[in-house]
């Protein structure tokens, strides 16, 4: 037996033996909490969620986020918990390290129910209330507002005291108010203060929270809640009216785009063009073709796809319109029934041609980034694509007015509209004006198709959904009068949106049609009748 003579070495050996005999250190609160996820019990999982959040561990948010996204798993045999990360890599939840080798054979997903999902959402919100990122704090406050977890009230109060961002502070105060009203034994003063904060927010979520205030609450609290509910309902009714008005303006801009080309051809030529909707369809398919070419050859240009499609859609639809006028319609002037039947047949031919070229199914037309998303004004939601279509419709209207008033073509078009025989006697080539007018109206319908491709399905039947409404707009506003078309489009759009909540979409359209028929009985020339010797005779 070898004797260790060096005292220092002997001391180290004795210490090593002592440490080897000591039991392993007890696991921390985070590691103990993880064990609850491995029991496959909703009760234990709920306890584990709260304990992991309270532990303050660096991996707490990662584990709870994995649980929320159904990426948290456990092994019943080893009682270990894992989560999957990028590329489905398995990580040990206790250490965050990737697991080498094969996965445990009995790996199972940690189950959640609705109550636990709310608990996870609230726990994640509490973990990020003190984040350095204002966006993270805002999202956390909104999550706590939805969960109304009263256990986070102390954390919320600390966060409010430290908050410097105004928007985040408001969200934190609203979260505090929602949680305070959910507390079982809240003081009346706190409840009234919470009601006042929620009253300022004034949306449907607040109505649900205030509606949950106990009916047997003390009188001041009950009165504050009832007054807030009444005031919020009144304000929401006004905002709903404003929202319906905006929807009506949005629909009116669509009707204006679809009808303005028809107003030109119908007003100048008196032709009932049932193929006008197919000009809109051609514009939409031109947009699809342009985007497909850009995706194939230069994806970087996608943001400019609509700007590229506009002149091409005008050219394609305008050329088809001129071909229709020169090939068919010029032989049918003065015979409205034959014109209607011929253009209806042409619409069927164009639909079948598009089916043969592009297929019968709808085609996807993408929206550039600048047309995506929405913003809010109070409780009014405005989507960017609808807003841009309203702006585009008004711009097209202004350009057409300028063309009719300040160009030679516009002067000749107005002359032919008001008195065709006199215009011909003055040397205006009325046949040429007819062709150019039909081409202009069809071209405008084509660029309307570019806009409609952003809000409607692009398919062979796209134009059929707008042809009847376009005729109603033109007849109601006054045949051939652009200002009448503008007023008629927005009037019918707004009226439609206010009738739909009460009568439904189909009955609403029928009611609008009946009202227009009654109006035409009293005023056959519409809101703004054209003036001229030929018209008045």
């Amino acid at each position: 037996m070898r004797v260790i003579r060096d005292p220092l070495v002997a001391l180290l050996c004795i210490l090593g033996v002592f440490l080897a005999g000591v039991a392993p250190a007890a696991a921390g609160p985070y590691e103990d909490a993880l064990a609850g996820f491995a029991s496959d019990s909703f009760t234990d999982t709920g306890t584990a969620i709260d304990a992991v959040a309270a532990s303050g561990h660096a991996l707490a948010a990662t584990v709870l986020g994995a649980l929320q996204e159904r990426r948290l798993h456990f092994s019943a045999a080893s009682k270990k918990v894992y989560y999957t990360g990028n590329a489905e890599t398995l990580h040990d939840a206790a250490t965050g390290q990737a697991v080498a080798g094969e996965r445990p054979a009995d790996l199972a997903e940690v189950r959640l129910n609705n109550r636990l999902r709310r608990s996870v959402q609230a726990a994640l919100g509490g973990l990020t209330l003190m984040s350095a990122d204002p966006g993270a704090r805002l999202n956390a406050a909104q999550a706590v507002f939805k969960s109304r977890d009263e256990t986070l009230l102390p954390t919320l109060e600390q966060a409010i005291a430290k908050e410097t961002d105004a928007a985040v502070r408001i969200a934190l105060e609203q979260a505090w108010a929602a949680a305070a009203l959910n507390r079982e034994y809240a003081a009346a003063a706190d409840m009234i203060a919470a009601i006042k904060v929620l009253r300022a927010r004034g949306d449907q979520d607040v109505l649900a929270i205030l509606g949950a205030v106990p009916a047997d609450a003390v009188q001041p609290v009950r009165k504050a809640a009832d007054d807030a509910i009444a005031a919020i309902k009144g304000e929401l009714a006004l905002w709903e009216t404003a929202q319906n008005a905006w929807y009506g303006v949005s629909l009116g801009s669509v009707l204006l785009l679809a009808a303005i080309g028809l107003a030109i051809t119908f007003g100048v030529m008196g032709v009932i063009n049932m193929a006008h909707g197919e000009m809109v369809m051609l514009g939409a398919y031109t947009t699809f073709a342009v985007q497909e070419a850009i995706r194939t050859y230069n994806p970087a240009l996608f943001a400019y796809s609509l700007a590229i499609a506009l002149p091409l859609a005008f050219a394609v639809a305008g050329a088809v319109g001129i071909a229709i006028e020169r090939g068919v319609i010029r032989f049918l002037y003065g015979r409205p029934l034959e014109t209607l039947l011929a253009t209806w047949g042409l619409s069927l031919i164009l639909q079948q041609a598009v089916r043969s070229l592009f297929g019968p199914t709808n085609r996807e037309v993408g929206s550039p980034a600048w047309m995506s998303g929405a913003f809010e004004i109070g409780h009014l939601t405005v989507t960017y694509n609808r807003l841009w279509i309203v702006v585009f419709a008004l711009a097209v209207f202004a350009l057409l007015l300028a063309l009719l008033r300040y160009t030679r073509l516009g002067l000749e078009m107005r002359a032919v509209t008001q008195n065709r025989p006199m215009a011909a006697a003055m040397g205006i080539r009325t046949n040429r004006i007819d062709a150019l007018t039909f081409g202009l109206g069809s071209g405008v319908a084509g660029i309307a198709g570019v806009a409609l491709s952003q809000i409607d399905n692009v398919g062979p039947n796209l134009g059929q959904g707008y042809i009847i409404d376009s005729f109603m707009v033109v007849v109601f506003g006054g045949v051939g009068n652009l200002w009448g078309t503008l007023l008629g489009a927005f009037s019918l759009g707004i009226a439609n949106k206010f009738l739909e909540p009460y009568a439904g979409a189909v009955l609403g359209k029928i009611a609008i049609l009946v009202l227009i028929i009654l109006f035409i009985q009293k005023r056959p020339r519409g809101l703004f009748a054209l003036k001229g010797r030929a018209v008045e005779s």
Side-chain angles (χ1 to χ4, degrees), residues 354-369:
V354 165
R355 287 191 181 92
S356 300
L357 287 173
F358 298 98
T361 57
N362 293 335
R363 293 294 182 171
E364 179 185 359
V365 175
S367 296

Side-chain angles (χ1 to χ4, degrees), residues 197-208:
V197 171
L198 294 175
R199 165 69 183 82
R201 174 170 172 143
D203 58 8
Q204 291 290 347
D205 292 333
V206 170
L207 283 180

Side-chain angles (χ1 to χ4, degrees), residues 323-492:
I324 290 174
E325 196 280 334
R326 290 289 85 190
V328 177
I329 291 177
R330 72 188 181 102
F331 301 108
L332 300 175
Y333 287 131
R335 296 151 66 183
L337 181 59
E338 286 86 343
T339 305
L340 185 150
L341 292 175
T343 54
W344 180 63
L346 286 170
S347 74
L348 297 179
I349 292 172
L350 289 172
Q351 289 179 42
Q352 189 56 47
V354 165
R355 287 191 181 92
S356 300
L357 287 173
F358 298 98
T361 57
N362 293 335
R363 293 294 182 171
E364 179 185 359
V365 175
S367 296
W370 50 273
M371 287 191 71
S372 303
F375 64 94
E376 292 187 355
I377 304 173
H379 298 293
L380 176 67
T381 302
V382 179
T383 56
Y384 284 109
N385 60 350
R386 292 279 183 173
L387 178 62
W388 280 113
I389 287 175
V390 172
V391 173
F392 179 68
L394 294 177
V396 170
F397 177 81
L399 287 173
L400 281 177
L401 276 183
L403 183 146
L404 292 174
R405 183 172 294 274
Y406 300 113
T407 66
R408 179 182 178 85
L409 175 62
L411 178 63
E412 292 179 347
M413 284 174 58
R414 285 186 289 133
V416 172
T417 300
Q418 294 181 20
N419 196 320
R420 179 180 291 268
M422 183 61 70
M426 295 296 293
I428 296 175
R429 297 166 57 189
T430 56
N431 288 338
R432 174 176 171 273
I433 295 301
D434 288 340
L436 292 178
T437 301
F438 205 91
L440 176 63
S442 299
V444 171
I447 63 176
V450 177
L452 294 179
S453 69
Q454 300 299 300
I455 59 173
D456 207 341
N457 296 322
V458 177
N461 297 321
L462 171 65
Q464 295 299 304
Y466 295 97
I467 185 64
I468 302 301
D469 288 337
S470 298
F471 274 109
M472 286 199 300
V473 168
V474 171
V475 172
F476 178 65
V479 176
N481 191 299
L482 292 187
W483 284 106
T485 303
L486 175 71
L487 184 59
F490 284 111
S491 298
L492 294 183

